[in-house]
Amino acid sequence: MNNEHKTRVAFTIATITTAAIISIIFTVRRRTRRKQLESSSNSCYSHSEQKPQCTFKRVLADNSYTPFKHLSFNASGSNDEKGSNLHPFEAEITALLTNNHQPEIELGAKKLEMNDSYVWVDTEMQLKELVDVLSNERFFGVDTEQHSLRSFLGFTGLVQISTQQDDYLIDTIALHDSMEILRPVFANPSICKVFHGADNDVLWLQRDFHIYIVNLFDTSKACEVLSKPQKSLAYLLETYCGVTTNKLLQREDWRQRPLSAEMVQYARTDAHYLLYIANCLIIELKQLDNENTCSDDKFHFVLEASRRSNMICLQLFTKEIEASPGESAALSLYSRHQSNQGSPSISDETQFLYTVRQLCTWRDLMARIHDESLKYVLSDQAIVALASQLPASHSKIYNTIVQTDVNAETGLTSFIPSPSPVVCSHLSDISQLLANELVKHGDIYSVILQKCLGQKGSCKLNIFNYALLVNSNLRPTLSYKHSSLKNPRQHSRKASRNLFVKKFSCKSPVYHNCRIFANDGRLLCYCDRKKLEWYLSRDLAKLVDEEPPAIMLLFEPKGRPEDEGNDFYIQSKKNICVGCGEGNHYLRYRIIPSCYRIHFPEHLKSHRSHDIVLLCVDCHEAAHAAAEKYKRKVASEFGIPLYVRRVIHPGQETEKLNDEGGVSPLQLRSAALALLNHGPRMPLNRREELTEIVKRYYGGREISEEDLESALQVGMRPIERRRYEKKRGVSFKHSTGNAAAVPEGENHADCAPRVSNVDTLNVDTLNGSYANEETRSGDNRQDDSGEPSLISDLAVDKATSNGNTILIKTTDDDEDDHDEAVNVDESLNRKQQNVVSDLSDSRDEESLRDEDSTQAKHHSKLSLLGHGPHGKQVVDHLLKEYGEDGVREFCQRWRQVFVDALKPRFLPGGWDVKHRI
């Protein structure tokens, strides 16, 4: 008991001592920060702090809003100062891809042991000597170390290169302005550069030095082809070399000089064993090639690994430039705050969003001016706290930031001073922002730029922020102001766009990049977590890796990726817009419009993600506009109109139709709805105008309220019909189950069972039936807009050969049986409709009648206001005239339309216009 008592006392004393030490540390820290605040009230910390990147004499990627310019060559072959947006070595890389280049890395069976000697390169002379050495090599290993905390875009702090004889560590801070000396070696297609996970390294070398990789072998891509359970470098080092590394060292400050012994060891290890690992992987790939020699459809493993590696080289670095700085970050913070706090009042919500936007914009500009990362300047949680509490004094602002950051300290954030020197030097800006006083006399960009970098600016001008002044005409503006909007229409469009993004963009990542392996270890595809869980819950697969998740099937799959002649489905995909690379929001976009795709044969449309991509709102709008334009071209080419142009009540079609007969279904519905809701209160002339529209539908006769009720349902969507029924207190039961009993082999009126409350719907088309598609009872099909079709289920009752007319029966809301017909007038004036420029029907009337009788056999959903009928007829025509090859060629046309409209630069690997389903 005595020992136990002593232990408790010792533990209590230790706890109290630890708490006291922590309290002292935070007190000293807070006092230090306050002293910095007092000393920096009149000047910026940038004058006294010398950052390593400030010694750079030339930077290729500054912190301005101008796009990044890639290396380009003029006619004489020398560098062009104007720059380009094209890859300067695309031809060389493409040649490697088309010539089936195979990497040649042969080191023998002996493993490369790492000794204590290495070469530290920090002078231009040493760099030139290294180039001479590398020029005589057939391959060498490369790795890079980055620093991003104290830099806006980040920069390369170290480059490691390993040959069979030596390890070289290149001080890229000391040699930043001379690194272009390495460019010819890295662009030499006869020398293989070995990386692991080169996706980022390729972009970083372009960004900092205009170094472009030609002839690359990525050990990570080789792991994918070999279907390794993991593809991390740590896994490969341990598996093939028996070496373990501390990956936490990757987060060290690679600006510091000299490097610690642990950092040197880590940096050398990453590059030193790459050649040995690459050699082992290539041997395994060749073994698989040899085992697969008997196959008629041979899969070349070595070539595939080389192809995937060199595809990485075609990537181009781009600066993420927002139309309004900090806007995406503000919307993200606002969305997260709403999820955590619930829905505040409208006034509080507006004030909070306004303040968050102002603070995010201020943080973005300050990070660019001082060349700091966003998280170093001001944390996300501090922005939310300031916008929620709106502290009034400097001390309260200071304490709010400190307390918030202390509560959220994790990992690297514990090494970031709070508040940051940026905040301490410009605390008055935050105070004025919270009081809505900073931008009284101009936009926030101009105000901050003048305060920091103007003639009496408080901040130091450097090579990174100088371009902000030089290119001030390209400055963005804050998209949201609290009051006094100079352009309310533009603000309204922007607000609508933001609302659209908030409501319709994907709320979580679309691609989870989970892997599915066959029972022999071959990678089958990438998928989402839901599909993985489906296999696991049914004991059809076993989990082989947890992060990222991967399963192995316990049965032989029906097909494999190589059976399809492309590797699109075995590529990991990024959650970004494929057009511009935007990653803060995105929507799914169907390259082939749904109005066509839903009518494809099942095996041509099911489980296919190739033609569904992610687009940001702006790219989505551009792609949609191009698709709508091409739909009109398709309508003109096939002579199939996009819309039902006129509807007319049954009984009127027997009269001679002319340009004056019938009315557009949308116009009819709008008129009927207005008369029902507001008829007695309307001005007389307006009521007569709308009444005349409805009367044209009924052939000119007088109409009753029941007629208006009936006319209102022409073209009404099922959801609108249900809402209307609920509002009116009536209900109409649709007997779609009975309709499904209609025999397909016959086409007579008595084939369908009689159902109560039916109308005869008469559809007259330009060139065939407007029946949409065979559907099941209760199945809600969609039109091209992604919404359910605009009219309820139709059951075929009979078909006639009177012109292009089909008589079909559908349920209706009226208790009495009466006819309701839809007639599409072929002779309607095209100028008035402005839908297609030229419609020509090359098929004769007899063929149309044959199609009518065929279509009348199917149960369908008919949308009078969408493109569904048009899409059905186009697909039917393609299948009839050209078979499934016609559908495939039609898909390729739509892919080409998409590519021509957006010029997408971030499409997933393996995506192809000529992709064959």
Side-chain angles (χ1 to χ4, degrees):
M1 290 297 293
N2 191 27
N3 291 335
E4 183 179 353
H5 178 70
K6 289 181 179 180
T7 303
R8 289 181 179 177
V9 171
F11 178 76
T12 304
I13 294 173
T15 303
I16 296 173
T17 303
T18 302
I21 292 173
I22 293 175
S23 177
I24 293 171
I25 290 174
F26 280 119
T27 301
V28 172
R29 182 178 177 181
R30 188 169 301 182
R31 288 178 180 176
T32 303
R33 302 309 301 155
R34 283 183 177 173
K35 289 181 180 179
Q36 291 178 351
L37 174 62
E38 294 173 0
S39 62
S40 61
S41 58
N42 297 321
S43 63
C44 180
Y45 79 101
S46 58
H47 291 283
S48 58
E49 182 178 11
Q50 184 68 16
K51 299 166 69 175
Q53 60 264 42
C54 293
T55 62
F56 300 164
K57 295 179 180 179
R58 184 172 68 94
V59 293
L60 301 173
D62 57 46
N63 297 340
S64 70
Y65 299 94
T66 56
F68 181 80
K69 294 181 179 180
H70 284 272
L71 179 69
S72 64
F73 302 103
N74 54 31
S76 62
S78 58
N79 294 352
D80 188 351
E81 295 296 332
K82 294 182 179 179
S84 169
N85 292 325
L86 303 177
H87 200 299
F89 298 98
E90 182 176 359
E92 290 83 351
I93 299 171
T94 304
L96 292 175
L97 294 171
T98 55
N99 295 333
N100 294 328
H101 170 76
Q102 292 198 37
E104 297 179 2
I105 303 175
E106 298 179 0
L107 304 178
K110 186 179 179 180
K111 182 167 62 177
L112 295 175
E113 299 292 346
M114 190 168 71
N115 53 36
D116 294 332
S117 65
Y118 65 94
V119 180
W120 179 263
V121 181
D122 60 357
T123 67
E124 189 171 328
M125 181 62 69
Q126 289 178 301
L127 192 62
K128 290 179 179 179
E129 292 174 355
L130 175 59
V131 169
D132 293 336
V133 172
L134 297 178
S135 299
N136 295 320
E137 298 287 339
R138 292 187 297 116
F139 46 82
F140 57 84
V142 189
D143 191 26
T144 68
E145 303 299 337
Q146 300 292 312
H147 178 79
S148 58
L149 179 62
R150 298 298 307 275
S151 173
F152 184 73
L153 293 177
F155 61 89
T156 304
L158 190 72
V159 170
Q160 308 98 277
I161 295 179
S162 288
T163 66
Q164 295 186 71
Q165 292 78 29
D166 297 297
D167 297 333
Y168 299 88
L169 301 183
I170 304 176
D171 186 351
T172 53
I173 296 178
L175 294 172
H176 181 275
D177 301 320
S178 304
M179 286 294 292
E180 63 181 21
I181 296 175
L182 286 172
R183 188 182 301 148
V185 177
F186 278 84
N188 189 337
S190 63
I191 303 175
C192 180
K193 278 68 67 175
V194 181
F195 284 78
H196 180 86
D199 300 77
N200 288 326
D201 297 289
V202 166
L203 301 178
W204 291 334
L205 291 173
Q206 294 176 12
R207 174 197 65 194
D208 294 337
F209 315 118
H210 270 171
I211 290 178
Y212 297 83
I213 313 298
V214 180
N215 190 357
L216 167 68
F217 184 79
D218 191 331
T219 52
S220 174
K221 296 301 180 184
C223 288
E224 288 183 2
V225 177
L226 289 168
S227 301
K228 295 289 184 182
Q230 297 182 40
K231 60 179 183 179
S232 67
L233 182 56
Y235 165 79
L236 295 177
L237 286 170
E238 187 171 357
T239 302
Y240 291 98
C241 308
V243 175
T244 57
T245 59
N246 181 10
K247 278 299 175 183
L248 292 177
L249 290 170
Q250 189 178 29
R251 300 180 178 180
E252 289 294 319
D253 187 354
W254 289 95
R255 303 174 303 161
Q256 72 180 53
R257 297 293 184 269
L259 297 177
S260 66
E262 293 82 4
M263 295 173 71
V264 170
Q265 181 75 6
Y266 171 82
R268 289 185 61 200
T269 301
D270 274 5
H272 178 86
Y273 294 99
L274 271 180
L275 295 179
Y276 178 78
I277 292 172
N279 183 55
C280 295
L281 295 175
I282 290 175
I283 291 174
E284 293 182 25
L285 292 167
K286 289 181 177 179
Q287 289 175 349
L288 289 177
D289 279 337
N290 294 333
E291 295 171 3
N292 200 32
T293 53
C294 299
S295 175
D296 295 332
D297 187 19
K298 184 178 178 181
F299 183 81
H300 298 277
F301 291 88
V302 178
L303 289 179
E304 178 60 18
S306 177
R307 188 192 68 81
R308 295 190 190 184
S309 298
N310 282 299
M311 285 293 292
I312 299 173
C313 299
L314 291 172
Q315 294 183 112
L316 285 174
F317 172 76
T318 57
K319 290 162 66 175
E320 295 183 5
I321 301 174
E322 294 182 85
S324 183
E327 179 73 5
S328 58
L331 291 175
S332 176
L333 289 177
Y334 174 69
S335 178
R336 278 186 284 168
H337 178 73
Q338 272 196 321
S339 301
N340 296 333
Q341 302 296 328
S343 299
S345 64
I346 297 299
S347 58
D348 293 342
E349 183 179 4
T350 303
Q351 178 63 47
F352 176 80
L353 178 57
Y354 168 74
T355 307
V356 167
R357 277 173 163 161
Q358 292 273 43
L359 289 171
C360 285
T361 300
W362 178 87
R363 180 179 66 170
D364 181 271
L365 293 173
M366 282 299 177
R368 293 176 186 271
I369 291 171
H370 297 87
D371 195 33
E372 305 282 8
S373 64
L374 295 178
K375 63 182 177 182
Y376 182 84
V377 174
L378 188 62
S379 65
D380 288 347
Q381 57 269 18
I383 289 179
V384 172
L386 291 172
S388 302
Q389 302 176 24
L390 296 177
S393 65
H394 288 196
S395 60
K396 289 183 178 179
I397 294 173
Y398 181 95
N399 292 332
T400 299
I401 296 174
V402 170
Q403 190 60 47
T404 303
D405 289 339
V406 167
N407 293 338
E409 275 187 359
T410 56
L412 282 178
T413 58
S414 59
F415 299 101
I416 301 176
S418 176
S420 68
V422 182
V423 171
C424 292
S425 299
H426 302 276
L427 196 59
S428 60
D429 288 352
I430 298 180
S431 178
Q432 291 175 1
L433 275 175
L434 298 179
N436 196 27
E437 296 176 350
L438 183 64
V439 292
K440 285 185 176 181
H441 305 291
D443 65 271
I444 189 171
Y445 181 93
S446 300
V447 172
I448 292 178
L449 201 61
Q450 287 302 313
K451 290 186 67 173
C452 294
L453 301 178
Q455 291 183 353
K456 297 181 179 180
S458 60
C459 304
K460 184 178 180 180
L461 197 65
N462 58 49
I463 195 170
F464 292 96
N465 60 32
Y466 178 71
L468 288 169
L469 282 177
V470 175
N471 301 306
S472 59
N473 59 316
L474 298 177
R475 69 180 187 272
T477 56
L478 186 64
S479 62
Y480 175 80
K481 294 183 179 180
H482 195 59
S483 59
S484 303
L485 293 172
K486 295 182 179 180
N487 191 343
R489 185 172 299 178
Q490 182 179 0
H491 168 68
S492 178
R493 287 196 299 267
K494 186 68 176 179
S496 299
R497 177 187 181 278
N498 293 338
L499 182 61
F500 186 89
V501 169
K502 177 183 174 182
K503 186 173 183 179
F504 294 106
S505 62
C506 300
K507 302 301 186 295
S508 59
V510 175
Y511 301 123
H512 297 164
N513 289 321
C514 303
R515 294 160 293 163
I516 297 181
F517 294 95
N519 48 12
D520 60 357
R522 187 77 56 79
L523 179 64
L524 292 177
C525 66
Y526 283 82
C527 66
D528 59 15
R529 292 180 183 270
K530 188 175 181 181
K531 178 169 286 189
L532 250 63
E533 293 168 357
W534 187 91
Y535 283 108
L536 292 173
S537 65
R538 290 161 175 78
D539 295 326
L540 298 174
K542 62 179 181 180
L543 188 68
V544 295
D545 198 1
E546 294 184 356
E547 193 57 44
I551 61 172
M552 180 177 290
L553 300 181
L554 300 178
F555 59 92
E556 178 60 31
K558 184 178 180 181
R560 293 176 180 265
E562 56 266 29
D563 299 337
E564 301 184 8
N566 68 79
D567 63 350
F568 173 81
Y569 298 102
I570 55 174
Q571 293 281 348
S572 60
K573 300 174 181 64
K574 296 181 179 179
N575 289 289
I576 60 174
C577 169
V578 301
C580 65
E582 167 67 49
N584 294 304
H585 78 273
Y586 38 79
L587 304 87
R588 291 181 180 88
Y589 177 78
R590 296 181 182 273
I591 295 175
I592 303 169
S594 297
C595 66
Y596 304 111
R597 188 178 179 277
I598 62 173
H599 304 300
F600 287 176
E602 188 64 30
H603 61 282
L604 294 184
K605 69 178 179 180
S606 61
H607 306 292
R608 297 291 168 176
S609 60
H610 181 272
D611 297 317
I612 302 177
V613 296
L614 300 183
L615 294 179
C616 66
V617 169
D618 299 321
C619 291
H620 194 287
E621 183 178 359
H624 179 72
E628 291 300 303
K629 182 178 180 180
Y630 196 72
K631 278 183 187 178
R632 294 194 288 271
K633 184 176 180 180
V634 170
S636 176
E637 176 183 346
F638 291 94
I640 300 174
L642 284 173
Y643 301 97
V644 174
R645 297 201 179 168
R646 294 192 182 189
V647 291
I648 192 168
H649 192 269
Q652 311 304 321
E653 74 280 2
T654 57
E655 305 295 334
K656 183 179 179 180
L657 293 173
N658 52 55
D659 289 346
E660 302 300 324
V663 65
S664 101
L666 181 60
Q667 194 179 20
L668 172 67
R669 178 183 166 190
S670 300
L673 183 63
L675 289 171
L676 283 170
N677 292 338
H678 310 290
R681 299 187 299 274
M682 283 184 177
L684 179 61
N685 57 346
R686 178 58 176 166
R687 185 167 67 247
E688 290 177 350
E689 179 184 350
L690 295 179
T691 302
E692 193 61 33
I693 292 174
V694 180
K695 289 172 66 176
R696 286 208 305 270
Y697 168 69
Y698 287 103
R701 68 172 174 82
E702 295 299 321
I703 57 173
S704 63
E705 184 171 347
E706 289 74 16
D707 293 328
L708 293 177
E709 298 268 4
S710 178
L712 179 60
Q713 296 173 48
V714 176
M716 184 178 285
R717 294 184 301 170
I719 187 172
E720 292 173 332
R721 190 183 186 103
R722 289 192 295 271
R723 288 174 181 170
Y724 177 76
E725 293 167 355
K726 184 177 180 180
K727 182 177 180 181
R728 295 284 176 174
V730 294
S731 179
F732 311 103
K733 305 289 185 182
H734 299 290
S735 303
T736 54
N738 293 338
V742 180
E744 293 195 7
E746 297 294 330
N747 193 24
H748 302 288
D750 56 351
C751 290
R754 291 293 298 174
V755 294
S756 61
N757 306 330
V758 295
D759 271 356
T760 301
L761 183 62
N762 187 341
V763 182
D764 184 7
T765 73
L766 289 178
N767 46 17
S769 166
Y770 268 116
N772 225 2
E773 84 174 302
E774 185 173 356
T775 183
R776 300 169 298 180
S777 174
D779 185 18
N780 290 327
R781 298 290 179 181
Q782 295 182 336
D783 64 7
D784 58 298
S785 64
E787 297 293 335
S789 59
L790 302 181
I791 200 167
S792 54
D793 292 338
L794 304 178
V796 177
D797 181 71
K798 63 181 180 179
T800 71
S801 296
N802 181 16
N804 297 328
T805 301
I806 306 171
L807 292 175
I808 55 181
K809 284 189 176 182
T810 181
T811 57
D812 185 55
D813 53 13
D814 201 343
E815 292 183 359
D816 299 327
D817 290 354
H818 64 276
D819 288 344
E820 179 175 85
V822 179
N823 188 302
V824 182
D825 187 6
E826 185 177 29
S827 62
L828 188 63
N829 190 314
R830 295 172 186 168
K831 292 183 180 179
Q832 294 177 346
Q833 292 298 314
N834 193 23
V835 175
V836 293
S837 57
D838 181 26
L839 293 179
S840 58
D841 192 354
S842 59
R843 293 173 288 174
D844 57 25
E845 190 176 83
E846 189 64 30
S847 67
L848 296 181
R849 294 176 183 176
D850 292 340
E851 281 190 25
D852 290 344
S853 60
T854 301
Q855 296 297 338
K857 297 175 184 177
H858 300 288
H859 314 303
S860 64
K861 283 192 171 184
L862 181 64
S863 170
L864 297 183
L865 303 183
H867 295 163
H870 160 82
K872 171 67 174 173
Q873 290 191 66
V874 169
V875 174
D876 285 348
H877 173 70
L878 291 171
L879 291 172
K880 180 179 179 181
E881 297 295 329
Y882 310 105
E884 292 184 358
D885 286 339
V887 175
R888 294 188 177 96
E889 190 274 336
F890 188 65
C891 293
Q892 292 178 13
R893 291 167 60 180
W894 277 105
R895 296 185 193 117
Q896 192 62 53
V897 169
F898 174 75
V899 171
D900 292 342
L902 287 190
K903 304 291 188 299
R905 295 159 49 200
F906 300 91
L907 283 167
W911 192 95
D912 188 5
V913 170
K914 296 184 179 180
H915 174 78
R916 183 174 177 83
I917 303 176

